[in-house]
Amino acid sequence: MNYGISVLFRFIPLLMALICFFFGGYIFGFGNDEARWVAGPVVFSLGVLCIALFATAATIIRQLIHTYNPVAKYLLPGMGYLFALGTMLWGIYLFSSPEPQNLFVPGHVICGVSLIAACISTAATSSTKFTLIPVNSHGTSDKINPNGFSTTTERVLIGLTVLFATVAWVWAIVLLSGSGGDHLVAGSVMAGLACICTSLIGLVASISRQIRNDYGEKDRKYWPRLVFFMGTICIVGGIIELLAAPVPVNTTGFILIGLGLVCFSISSKILLLAKVWRQECKLANRIPLIPVMTALFALFLGAFLFEEASVDNAFFVPSRVLIGLGGICFSLFSIVSILESGTSGK
């Protein structure tokens, strides 16, 4: 990877973050209807995920271009965790405000976004020794690499993502057990966000285990399947909600479909790590097309919903949120391209 390409791959998630921040602020600032109070903060919060993805991209790229240093080692993941914490506090403030009819749903959704940001920051932390992955992959020894993570560190990294995912699932169940349309909407979206957190368990486990050199055939087989399963749950759940939920709550199904597309984008990284581990994969450089396709699908679906929202305001929120999710998918294209460059045997 040359320096120019490294700048481009770091710029992509930052650009997507700026788009989410400005687009979310624009939605929120130009109008007083309830739909804007939901869509604006949610789209704005998606920019935090792009910041966390930037931290992951910069962590890996700096190692590949030999500009990594102890400051970056702690600063980049720490930045991601800091943004995640700030987002969580913001979400709690929103749903605790005296106007729950406007802020209940965005507050809970933003808290779910913060849990994903924490998982991505853990992926950045697990990537602090990324250059050991190609060393272990191209080697023939099955012994634990002494320069990799210790058993305790590996378990802590994976355990953190498991913890964040568990919190998201419990949060979703509690919301879905409540009564009213707001609980159904917030709970459905939180379940989709929990699917993304669960998918990121596979990413952190794949990275940390390959760094330690205890990645095996079971990892190669089951982690990609887990993420595909989570993505399928989101999309199927979204379709069911579109068909079965009452109007206008059913339009939340489009957001679930978008969250499923994010899961499939994450699967590209786990699939790439599995395919190139101690074997040649001629199509490895095609895997980055997966998040490109999911990003385009999310953006085109959002465009159609924009048109529908002009005649039915129930489509206002999903049309805007899908644009932000498309930006997340495109940011993930940057990450998987970096992984392909770093693990390539060429």
Side-chain angles (χ1 to χ4, degrees):
M1 177 179 292
N2 60 50
Y3 183 76
I5 294 298
S6 73
V7 172
L8 174 63
F9 283 153
R10 281 176 287 183
F11 177 71
I12 288 174
L14 285 179
L15 177 62
M16 295 301 105
L18 290 175
I19 290 175
C20 288
F21 289 151
F22 283 102
F23 186 44
Y26 177 81
I27 295 170
F28 183 79
F30 285 82
N32 295 316
D33 58 290
E34 186 173 341
R36 290 184 178 273
W37 280 70
V38 174
V42 170
V43 173
F44 186 94
S45 69
L46 294 178
V48 175
L49 300 185
C50 296
I51 294 295
L53 289 170
F54 163 76
T56 305
T59 296
I60 299 175
I61 284 177
R62 281 183 169 272
Q63 294 176 66
L64 297 179
I65 63 175
H66 309 293
T67 60
Y68 201 53
N69 55 60
V71 174
K73 179 179 180 179
Y74 296 101
L75 178 63
L76 292 171
M79 177 182 65
Y81 283 119
L82 184 62
F83 271 87
L85 176 60
T87 305
M88 173 63 77
L89 296 176
W90 178 36
I92 293 174
Y93 169 77
L94 288 181
F95 73 71
S96 300
S97 69
E99 296 181 325
Q101 71 274 16
N102 284 332
L103 302 176
F104 179 87
V105 172
H108 285 283
V109 171
I110 288 169
C111 288
V113 170
S114 73
L115 293 172
I116 298 177
C119 289
I120 297 175
S121 300
T122 306
T125 305
S126 66
S127 302
T128 52
K129 297 185 179 183
F130 178 83
T131 50
L132 292 180
I133 291 181
V135 172
N136 294 334
S137 179
H138 298 151
T140 57
S141 175
D142 291 327
K143 294 182 179 179
I144 301 300
N145 192 327
N147 296 319
F149 297 125
S150 65
T151 303
T152 302
T153 302
E154 181 187 279
R155 290 176 178 174
V156 168
L157 290 170
I158 298 174
L160 283 174
T161 51
V162 172
L163 174 63
F164 298 139
T166 302
V167 171
W169 281 114
V170 172
W171 204 318
I173 293 171
V174 171
L175 287 172
L176 290 172
S177 64
S179 60
D182 285 347
H183 283 83
L184 179 58
V185 171
S188 299
V189 177
M190 183 64 78
L193 298 174
C195 286
I196 296 178
C197 289
T198 305
S199 300
L200 289 166
I201 296 174
L203 178 60
V204 172
S206 297
I207 294 174
S208 59
R209 290 180 69 82
Q210 288 193 6
I211 287 174
R212 193 164 183 266
N213 201 29
D214 60 355
Y215 187 88
E217 288 302 316
K218 290 185 178 180
D219 298 288
R220 190 199 303 271
K221 182 179 180 180
Y222 290 113
W223 291 127
R225 290 184 180 181
L226 171 67
V227 185
F228 280 117
F229 180 66
M230 289 296 109
T232 302
I233 286 178
C234 281
I235 291 180
V236 172
I239 294 173
I240 292 175
E241 187 155 344
L242 284 172
L243 298 176
V247 179
V249 173
N250 63 335
T251 56
T252 307
F254 288 111
I255 297 178
L256 283 177
I257 292 173
L259 296 174
L261 294 174
V262 175
C263 288
F264 286 129
S265 298
I266 295 171
S267 73
S268 63
K269 294 183 288 301
I270 300 174
L271 184 64
L272 176 67
L273 291 171
K275 290 296 184 182
V276 301
W277 178 255
R278 296 191 173 174
Q279 63 182 20
E280 291 294 330
C281 180
K282 295 182 179 179
L283 297 178
N285 59 351
R286 300 293 186 267
I287 293 178
L289 291 176
I290 295 176
V292 173
M293 298 304 294
T294 56
L296 289 174
F297 189 91
L299 293 172
F300 285 136
L301 181 58
F304 280 109
L305 295 183
F306 256 90
E307 189 65 23
E308 187 68 20
S310 64
V311 295
D312 188 347
N313 199 53
F315 293 89
F316 184 94
V317 175
S319 64
R320 273 67 178 176
V321 172
L322 277 168
I323 301 302
L325 294 177
I328 299 297
C329 291
F330 193 62
S331 296
L332 288 166
F333 156 73
S334 171
I335 306 297
V336 71
S337 298
I338 295 167
L339 290 178
E340 194 278 328
S341 177
T343 58
S344 175
K346 298 179 182 180

